[in-house]
């Protein structure tokens, strides 16, 4: 059951990154992206999400952040 909270935290962090890329500054987007990738990596290490799923999420978020520049 505790995994549900961690998955939800990842989802919320990803949503936050997407929201910032649409409205905020590139610096702010990079900061939120760093936070999100930390959560994703930690969940991947602990086996909450699969390694490939973690890399896919990070890649998709990075695309959005890099598109701002």
């Amino acid at each position: 059951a505790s995994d549900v909270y961690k998955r939800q935290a990842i989802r919320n962090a990803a949503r936050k990154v997407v929201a910032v890329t649409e409205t905020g500054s590139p610096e702010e987007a990079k900061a939120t992206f760093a936070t999100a990738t930390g959560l994703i990596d930690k969940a991947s290490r602990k086996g909450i999400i699969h390694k490939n799923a973690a890399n896919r999420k990070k890649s998709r978020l990075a695309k959005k952040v890099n598109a701002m520049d």
Side-chain angles (χ1 to χ4, degrees):
S2 64
D3 288 357
V4 174
Y5 296 111
K6 291 172 185 139
R7 284 176 188 260
Q8 189 62 47
I10 291 169
R11 230 174 281 133
N12 288 339
R15 283 190 195 119
K16 197 175 212 177
V17 171
V18 172
V20 169
T21 57
E22 290 170 356
T23 59
S25 67
E27 295 80 23
E28 192 181 356
K30 286 178 182 160
T32 55
F33 175 69
T35 306
T37 52
L39 286 172
I40 293 168
D41 284 335
K42 193 171 183 181
S44 175
R45 277 196 308 273
K46 292 181 182 286
I48 295 167
I49 58 174
H50 194 274
K51 179 180 72 169
N52 292 352
N55 289 335
R56 188 174 60 243
K57 281 179 191 294
K58 290 192 299 184
S59 175
R60 287 176 181 170
L61 290 175
K63 265 190 200 171
K64 290 179 191 292
V65 172
N66 292 335
M68 290 184 76
D69 295 333

